[in-house]
């Protein structure tokens, strides 16, 4: 129970940060609340780099395992995995055993398989994450994770521990060089996104099944309501009732990000995509004939489409 309370507090704190940066999430919240409905999150998505580097405190794994440290402590369980060969991506998804009792979202964590990229792309990726890595911040995170794992024997206020665990969901290295960002982005927009945003939330997902309002009974009416409020939406809805899941999303917002123009500086601001807000509707399927159950997993083709929602089109300003 204590683990679930920490998870509940952590995701709420990340939601406050994310919804402040992504106004479309607040518009969705307003649309559903005004109709007397319930706002719930189906899942949260994070990105990472499948890359291990040597540091003064030992080997640091920057991929899925980096975030699994806290997931294990929170009690989440891996439920499946997906591979995306053409994008050099791999993903795992997780559920909490007390998901329904504590209204805990599922988690979807992906990683870019850096070893599969050309050497000219691997090099700037590796150089960026090694340069200016926040060792002190990583040690603070390890301390918070240690306290999480000992929560049953060393009682800690869930909200305080959740605040400490937020240190994992940042970019733990210095801003990338413009030249490195351009090189990586030309091959992997996903990789460029991670260099800029690190482990920040990639997206939250409104759970249509939990809206509980006749005004918006399905994903079509929900998406149209957002369009009516001026939210730019993805044109398609992926998936189907037959496979158990339908998903769509807003367009990604742009915000100013910091990069380095040269190794010694200065820091400059450029516009870049951050995150979108997704909505999902789940359906009952019958994995065992005659025993339908709500589909709780994820679909590879849907995810592959949504990965592209953060593609940045022509946002690197000309060199001065």
């Amino acid at each position: 129970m204590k683990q679930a309370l920490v998870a509940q507090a952590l995701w709420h704190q990340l939601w406050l940060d994310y919804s402040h940066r992504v106004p479309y999430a607040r518009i969705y919240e307003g649309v559903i609340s005004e109709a007397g409905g319930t706002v719930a999150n189906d899942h949260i998505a994070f990105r990472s780099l499948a890359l291990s580097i040597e540091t003064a405190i030992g080997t640091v794994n920057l991929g899925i395992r980096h975030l699994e440290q806290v997931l294990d402590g929170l009690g989440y369980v891996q439920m499946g995995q997906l591979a995306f060969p053409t994008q050099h991506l791999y993903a795992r998804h997780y559920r909490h055993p007390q998901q329904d009792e504590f209204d805990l979202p599922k988690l979807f964590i992906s990683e870019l398989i850096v070893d599969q990229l050309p050497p000219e792309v691997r090099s700037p990726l590796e150089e960026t994450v090694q340069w200016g890595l926040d060792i002190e911040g990583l040690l603070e995170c390890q301390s918070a994770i240690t306290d999480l794992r000992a929560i049953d024997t060393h009682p800690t206020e869930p909200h305080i521990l959740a605040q400490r665990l937020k240190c994992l969901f940042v970019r733990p290295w210095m801003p990338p060089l413009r030249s490195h960002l351009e090189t990586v982005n030309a091959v992997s927009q996903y990789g460029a996104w991670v260099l800029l945003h690190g482990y920040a939330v990639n997206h939250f997902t409104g759970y249509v099944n939990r809206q509980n309002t006749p005004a918006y009974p399905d994903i079509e009416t929900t998406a149209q309501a957002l369009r009516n409020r001026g939210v730019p939406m993805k044109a398609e809805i992926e998936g189907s009732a037959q496979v158990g899941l339908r998903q769509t999303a807003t367009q990604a917002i742009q915000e100013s990000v910091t990069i380095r123009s040269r190794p010694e500086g200065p820091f400059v601001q450029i516009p870049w995509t951050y995150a979108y807000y997704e909505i999902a509707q789940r359906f009952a399927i019958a994995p065992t004939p005659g025993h339908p159950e709500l589909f709780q997993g994820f679909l590879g083709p849907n995810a592959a489409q949504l990965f592209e929602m953060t593609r940045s089109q022509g946002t690197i300003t000309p060199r001065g």
Side-chain angles (χ1 to χ4, degrees):
M1 178 176 177
K2 294 177 182 177
Q3 294 173 318
L5 289 173
V6 176
Q8 197 176 56
L10 176 59
W11 307 141
H12 176 66
Q13 290 180 25
L14 291 182
W15 164 259
L16 293 178
D17 293 344
Y18 162 89
S19 59
H20 177 74
R21 295 171 70 179
V22 183
Y24 305 150
R26 299 197 303 274
I27 293 173
Y28 169 84
E29 196 171 32
V31 165
I32 301 305
S33 297
E34 289 166 16
T38 301
V39 176
N41 278 299
D42 176 77
H43 68 270
I44 314 170
F46 301 94
R47 294 178 173 185
S48 67
L49 302 172
L51 180 64
S52 294
I53 60 172
E54 296 300 324
T55 73
I57 59 173
T59 302
V60 175
N61 186 317
L62 298 174
I64 289 174
R65 186 57 202 157
H66 181 72
L67 296 181
E68 278 187 333
Q69 298 175 90
V70 72
L71 301 194
D72 292 344
L74 293 173
Y76 272 83
V77 178
Q78 182 185 331
M79 301 302 295
Q81 57 187 341
L82 295 167
F84 307 88
T86 60
Q87 294 163 297
H88 308 295
L89 300 174
Y90 169 78
R92 294 175 182 170
H93 57 93
Y94 308 78
R95 286 183 67 193
H96 198 282
Q98 295 173 291
Q99 171 183 290
D100 297 331
E101 181 182 354
F102 288 88
D103 198 22
L104 294 174
K106 293 175 280 293
L107 304 175
F108 186 92
I109 305 179
S110 55
E111 63 183 12
L112 177 64
I113 307 173
V114 177
D115 285 347
Q116 293 182 357
L117 300 175
E120 63 272 18
V121 179
R122 291 202 308 269
S123 180
L125 271 167
E126 293 169 355
E127 185 176 327
T128 298
V129 301
Q130 286 180 314
W131 189 84
L133 190 66
D134 183 7
I135 299 298
E136 184 177 338
L138 291 176
L139 288 172
E140 290 177 2
C141 289
Q142 287 300 322
S143 175
I145 292 168
T146 298
D147 289 347
L148 173 63
R149 290 171 176 165
I151 195 170
D152 290 330
T153 55
H154 297 83
T156 304
E157 167 59 42
H159 289 275
I160 294 175
L161 185 52
Q163 186 66 37
R164 291 174 60 203
L165 290 168
K166 281 178 62 180
C167 65
L168 262 80
F169 302 95
V170 300
R171 186 195 66 224
W173 49 80
M174 292 291 286
L177 278 169
R178 180 194 297 267
S179 59
H180 286 176
L181 185 65
E182 291 172 339
T183 299
V184 174
N185 188 57
V187 174
S188 173
Q189 61 86 19
Y190 179 110
W193 190 97
V194 177
L195 289 187
L196 289 167
H197 301 296
Y199 303 99
V201 170
N202 177 254
H203 65 266
F204 273 83
T205 308
Y207 190 20
V208 173
N209 301 57
R210 289 283 309 281
Q211 290 173 178
N212 296 324
T213 169
Y216 309 113
D218 52 35
I219 195 168
E220 286 89 354
T221 53
T222 305
Q224 188 56 51
L226 293 175
R227 290 190 189 94
N228 293 344
R229 296 292 181 98
V231 176
M233 298 294 296
K234 193 175 188 299
E236 306 84 8
I237 297 176
E238 285 86 22
S240 68
Q242 290 69 37
V243 297
L245 178 63
R246 301 187 72 203
Q247 296 167 278
T248 192
T250 72
Q251 298 295 325
I253 64 145
Q254 280 200 347
E255 61 181 22
S256 292
V257 298
T258 301
I259 61 171
R260 290 176 292 143
S261 57
R262 297 184 302 276
E264 67 279 7
F267 293 110
V268 297
Q269 297 287 308
I270 64 169
W272 202 270
T273 53
Y274 166 50
Y276 53 89
Y277 187 65
E278 186 180 323
I279 54 176
Q281 183 174 6
R282 294 184 178 274
F283 301 85
I285 59 172
T288 302
H291 297 83
E293 57 186 58
L294 195 67
F295 179 68
Q296 297 285 353
F298 294 84
L299 304 174
N302 292 22
Q305 288 275 344
L306 290 163
F307 280 134
E308 294 301 310
M309 294 299 293
T310 53
R311 181 170 294 282
S312 192
Q313 300 289 350
T315 56
I316 299 183
T317 55
R319 295 172 183 268

